[in-house]
Amino acid sequence: MTLFRAQVLDTPDDPFRGGQLRADADAGLLVVDGMIAERGPYADIRREHRGETVVDLRSGLLLPGFVDTHVHYPQMRAIGALGMPLLEWLDRCALPEEARLADPGYAREVAGEFVASLVDSGTTTALVFGSHFAPAVDLLFEKATERGLRVTCGLVVGDRMLRPELHTTAQRAYDEARELARRWHQNGRTRYAVTPRFSLSCTDELLDSCAAVHEDTAGCWFTSHINENPAEIAKVRELFGCGYLDSYDKHGLVGPNSVFAHNVHPTDAELKLLAATGASVAHCPTSNAALGSGLFPLDRHLSSGVRVALGCDVGAGTGFCLFKEALQAYFLQQLRGPEGVPLTSAHLLHLATSAGADALGLRDQVGDLEVGKRFDAMWLDPSPDTPLAVGLRHADGPADALAKTFALATPHDVHGVWVDGQRVKG
Ligand SMILES: [Zn+2]
């Protein structure tokens, strides 16, 4: 049992539906076996639990751990190639790097770097786009388990239009996925996600084998890409003779356990189907800006009732930190003029935490710091001479402090990270 004492900010109620930022200036959180057993004013909790060890975090801010809903593990070393649109960037930058993960020694190093970068940034839960090579996916699950991260991941599959060494067959894709799922699905903090790269790189036969894995692996997740770039969307229509979402839906791959990355250029019919099926969208604003993919229509997603969370994408993104990613989401909405959704700091925290937990079906476990949830948290404690520390000292209340945090915080300011009450950073 441990009693944490801190200024705590979280978003238990969705700010897009009228919820407010919850701010407790001096909270006590009693954590028992990794779960928040009690929460209240510190003095009250302390009175009831005089003997417990106290972890005093009052010099900074305690937030829920970040939930990243779209991040590519094999692209760790491909971050920062600027100046290309999606399909050229894939050919020249991402796919050659992804091919290197055929070597397990190389994959082991990348998996270690990747997991360390997520934890360092305050991310405690992630839906990770895996590798095209089963041993490399195995290594990612291993490293995530070693480090304590909550991870959903799977074998990435494609059977056309990539590099030949990244292509698989329907049977091999099924067999390798099922073996990985047998080892890692619902094993501690890891789960399996069926992961076709995008329908552009998948024949109907391969998408059928994805559907079979999804069907045969109870409670598994599904993730892929959608509507990122106009040239990509036109190619999908040419290949399948239907819209992008329909290319998945006709294989039964659109449902409440589905997370689609990007969706920058959806049709109204696609938004309607996403909402009706309960599927989620992973918004990756930095990547969208870097590849020139477009300005995400958040207003249309919200008015259609589509669930939206955040992803850093990597390597088309520019790093792992969801403070930066959420700030970029804010910038993109500002740039959309009258169609932009004005985002407050509470919206940004929600998108980076509780919205992600909801998209991943983990809302009953993580995403805020309510009683009954797992203690997945980060402690932000900037050095006193930094602009962030100055901003926090002079903030006009908790919402302003949080806005300053999204504007200024980096992984260097994250001094502690916990998953299930276990400290994994600091
Ligand atoms: Zn992606």
Side-chain angles (χ1 to χ4, degrees):
M1 241 191 277
T2 307
L3 179 52
F4 292 88
R5 181 179 193 180
Q7 180 177 357
V8 181
L9 302 179
D10 62 359
T11 51
D13 301 311
D14 184 348
F16 290 111
R17 296 166 181 263
Q20 303 286 319
L21 177 67
R22 176 167 64 172
D24 286 330
D26 188 10
L29 276 71
L30 185 73
V31 175
V32 181
D33 296 332
M35 191 188 80
I36 303 168
E38 292 181 37
R39 171 178 174 155
Y42 172 77
D44 295 356
I45 305 284
R46 183 60 172 163
R47 205 171 302 120
E48 298 298 316
H49 301 279
R50 292 181 192 280
E52 302 312 332
T53 311
V54 176
V55 178
D56 190 340
L57 305 174
R58 279 177 295 168
S59 60
L61 286 177
L62 190 70
L63 305 175
F66 282 143
V67 179
D68 192 323
T69 59
H70 185 70
V71 54
H72 290 254
Y73 133 59
Q75 296 176 2
M76 172 79 211
R77 298 181 183 184
I79 300 169
L82 303 178
M84 286 169 265
L86 172 67
L87 298 178
E88 185 187 351
W89 175 79
L90 280 170
D91 281 343
R92 288 180 50 192
C93 184
L95 298 182
E97 176 61 20
E98 297 211 12
R100 294 188 186 106
L101 275 79
D103 171 1
Y106 191 88
R108 183 183 302 278
E109 281 181 21
V110 172
E113 294 162 358
F114 175 83
V115 169
S117 299
L118 283 174
V119 171
D120 194 49
S121 302
T123 296
T124 49
T125 298
L127 175 58
V128 174
F129 229 80
S131 166
H132 287 271
F133 304 101
V137 178
D138 219 35
L139 286 162
L140 186 278
F141 276 123
E142 250 177 50
K143 289 286 178 192
T145 301
E146 260 173 48
R147 197 65 200 268
L149 201 63
R150 218 178 277 289
V151 153
T152 305
C153 182
L155 180 73
V156 178
V157 298
D159 62 352
R160 65 179 173 194
M161 299 181 70
L162 301 171
R163 301 161 67 88
E165 65 269 42
L166 298 180
H167 291 162
T168 187
T169 63
Q171 187 62 51
R172 190 179 127 207
Y174 179 87
D175 293 342
E176 290 180 349
R178 288 287 292 155
E179 176 56 21
L180 283 164
R182 189 186 64 75
R183 290 162 60 84
W184 297 106
H185 184 52
Q186 295 174 337
N187 174 3
R189 296 176 197 145
T190 61
R191 299 185 305 178
Y192 194 78
V194 174
T195 315
R197 178 156 207 119
F198 48 175
S199 56
L200 187 68
S201 70
C202 300
T203 61
D204 282 304
E205 191 191 1
L206 186 62
L207 290 172
D208 272 338
S209 92
C210 288
V213 177
H214 196 251
E215 171 114 10
D216 295 346
T217 310
C220 82
W221 233 250
F222 173 84
T223 190
S224 195
H225 295 97
I226 195 166
N227 291 327
E228 182 172 0
N229 164 294
E232 170 214 24
I233 296 165
K235 195 78 194 161
V236 167
R237 180 165 287 283
E238 184 188 319
L239 289 167
F240 287 91
C242 65
Y244 213 139
L245 187 62
D246 284 340
S247 68
Y248 298 112
D249 187 48
K250 69 178 179 171
H251 295 279
L253 295 169
V254 183
N257 291 9
S258 306
V259 178
F260 292 97
H262 303 305
N263 211 31
V264 180
H265 308 283
T267 64
D268 289 343
E270 286 175 323
L271 289 170
K272 210 172 151 186
L273 182 60
L274 287 168
T277 53
S280 297
V281 167
H283 172 34
C284 307
T286 304
S287 164
N288 294 164
L291 296 176
S293 301
L295 300 175
F296 182 71
L298 180 59
D299 55 338
R300 291 173 60 217
H301 284 76
L302 293 174
S303 63
S304 304
V306 180
R307 297 189 286 158
V308 176
L310 275 185
C312 73
D313 205 8
V314 158
T318 59
F320 292 82
C321 186
L322 290 191
F323 287 122
K324 181 162 69 170
E325 204 60 48
L327 182 67
Q328 183 68 27
Y330 166 81
F331 288 155
L332 285 195
Q333 293 309 310
Q334 290 292 96
L335 290 171
R336 292 189 72 229
E339 293 177 330
V341 179
L343 296 174
T344 66
S345 60
H347 290 116
L348 302 188
L349 184 62
H350 165 71
L351 284 168
T353 58
S354 38
D358 185 55
L360 301 187
L362 297 170
R363 194 69 188 88
D364 59 334
Q365 297 177 48
V366 299
D368 63 45
L369 296 170
E370 185 53 77
V371 170
K373 300 280 167 73
R374 309 305 300 173
F375 188 71
D376 283 19
M378 81 167 91
W379 178 43
L380 204 70
D381 189 28
S383 303
D385 54 350
T386 58
L388 176 56
V390 173
L392 292 178
R393 279 200 296 278
H394 298 282
D396 184 17
D400 187 41
L402 190 60
K404 288 173 162 56
T405 297
F406 277 103
L408 291 162
T410 71
H412 295 296
D413 302 307
V414 177
H415 277 234
V417 178
W418 293 260
V419 179
D420 277 339
Q422 294 171 358
R423 196 157 184 167
V424 296
K425 175 180 178 177

